Amino acid sequence: MRKENTTTRNSKLKKMAKSKKYYVVWEGHETGIFGNWADCQRMTKNFSGARYKSFKTLAEAEEAFDGDSRSFIGQNKKPTQRPLSEASRENIIWDSISVDAACSGNPGAMEYRGVDTQTGFEFFRQGPFPYGTNNVGEFLALVHGLAYLKQKGSNLPIYTDSKIAMSWIQKKVFRSKLKKTAANARIFELVERALYWLKTNDYDTKILKWETKDWGEIPADFGRK
C-alpha cells in the first residue's frame, strides 16, 4: 500500500476545489482524498480490506482522512434517511433489523452488514471480500440476518431493499452469474454455507421490503452513493 506524500496531496486538493464530492480512501492501493468516484474505485477495487467513504465538503474529507476510519464508517454512521411524513412512519416497523450490502465495482470489493432499524446500531458486518457483486452481498446479508435472529431467539422482522435477495431466499436458491475464481473463493464458501442453513433451518422471521422510494435509503446503507 502506497501513501501519497504531502506535496502531492496538497496539489490534488487544489485541483479538487470545485468538486461536488470528495472520496477518502484510508485503506487501498493508494490512500488519500480523491475528487471523483472513478479514482476512488481504482484505488479500492480488488484491494482486500479497502476502507473508503464520500464527503460533501473538502473540509470534512480532510478531517476524516487525518482521523480513524472507524469514526466515519460502520456503527458510528447515522442512518441516511429523508424526513418522513407521519403517514410514512406509521408504515415502518421500527422494532426490527435492516440489512444491506455495498460493492465497489461489479464485480468488486463487496461487504454487508445488519443494523438496528431505529438506531442504526451495527449488529454484524462482514467483508470486504474481493470480486463480489451487490446481489450476492444482499443475499448473504439477509441469510446472516435470519441466522442471527434465530440464534438470539428474536422474533423481530428484517428489512431488505433487494427483491432479488428476497426471491432467492424464498426459493432457497442462488442464481448469480458471478464466476467463481481463486480471488472470490471465500464468497462462494459463504454462499454454500448460507444455502445449507436455509435448507436445514426453519424460521418464523418476517422478511419485509424496505420501500426506498418512499422512505429513503435503508438504515443499513453504507452511504457511498
Side-chain angles (χ1 to χ4, degrees):
M1 179 179 71
R2 181 163 58 92
K3 187 167 184 176
E4 63 182 0
N5 60 47
T6 303
T7 301
T8 301
R9 177 184 167 193
N10 289 339
S11 177
K12 277 185 179 180
L13 297 182
K14 289 180 181 179
K15 293 179 181 180
M16 291 190 283
K18 296 182 179 181
S19 292
K20 293 183 179 180
K21 258 189 179 180
Y22 301 87
Y23 297 85
V24 174
V25 177
W26 291 277
E27 297 289 340
H29 298 295
E30 180 180 330
T31 64
I33 301 173
F34 302 91
N36 59 72
W37 169 241
D39 284 343
C40 177
Q41 186 177 35
R42 182 163 51 87
M43 297 307 172
T44 56
K45 187 174 182 179
N46 297 326
F47 186 93
S48 180
R51 295 185 72 78
Y52 55 94
K53 192 178 188 302
S54 66
F55 294 87
K56 293 182 179 179
T57 69
L58 179 57
E60 290 175 334
E62 288 182 306
E63 179 182 358
F65 181 66
D66 291 330
D68 188 335
S69 64
R70 290 173 296 183
S71 297
F72 301 91
I73 298 177
Q75 62 187 37
N76 293 309
K77 172 185 174 296
K78 296 181 180 179
T80 54
Q81 292 180 255
R82 306 175 200 165
L84 299 173
S85 66
E86 288 303 316
S88 293
R89 285 184 175 277
E90 290 178 0
N91 293 326
I92 298 175
I93 301 175
W94 292 103
D95 194 13
S96 61
I97 75 169
S98 297
V99 298
D100 199 21
C103 193
S104 174
N106 189 37
M110 178 274 291
E111 57 189 317
Y112 68 82
R113 67 183 189 139
V115 306
D116 183 287
T117 300
Q118 186 165 21
T119 68
F121 178 83
E122 192 171 80
F123 293 122
F124 59 83
R125 183 182 188 131
Q126 293 291 313
F129 303 104
Y131 211 73
T133 67
N134 197 66
N135 284 339
V136 174
E138 298 273 16
F139 170 74
L140 291 174
L142 193 46
V143 178
H144 194 141
L146 292 171
Y148 175 85
L149 290 170
K150 183 170 184 177
Q151 181 184 42
K152 298 294 183 181
S154 172
N155 61 357
L156 293 179
I158 182 170
Y159 276 108
T160 175
D161 60 9
S162 173
K163 290 182 179 179
I164 291 177
M166 292 177 73
S167 174
W168 291 356
I169 295 293
Q170 183 181 22
K171 298 173 183 177
K172 300 182 180 181
V173 298
F174 177 72
R175 291 179 175 166
S176 172
K177 295 181 180 179
L178 181 67
K179 301 297 183 182
K180 184 177 181 179
T181 68
N184 64 14
R186 176 56 178 161
I187 289 177
F188 278 86
E189 288 178 7
L190 293 175
V191 167
E192 288 299 320
R193 184 185 300 178
L195 289 172
Y196 180 79
W197 189 91
L198 287 173
K199 293 174 181 178
T200 57
N201 283 271
D202 294 322
Y203 58 88
D204 298 321
T205 304
K206 290 184 179 179
I207 300 175
L208 307 174
K209 175 67 171 61
W210 181 267
E211 301 299 338
T212 304
K213 183 177 179 180
D214 296 326
W215 304 338
E217 297 296 342
I218 193 167
D221 180 68
F222 283 78
R224 296 173 187 159
K225 297 178 178 65

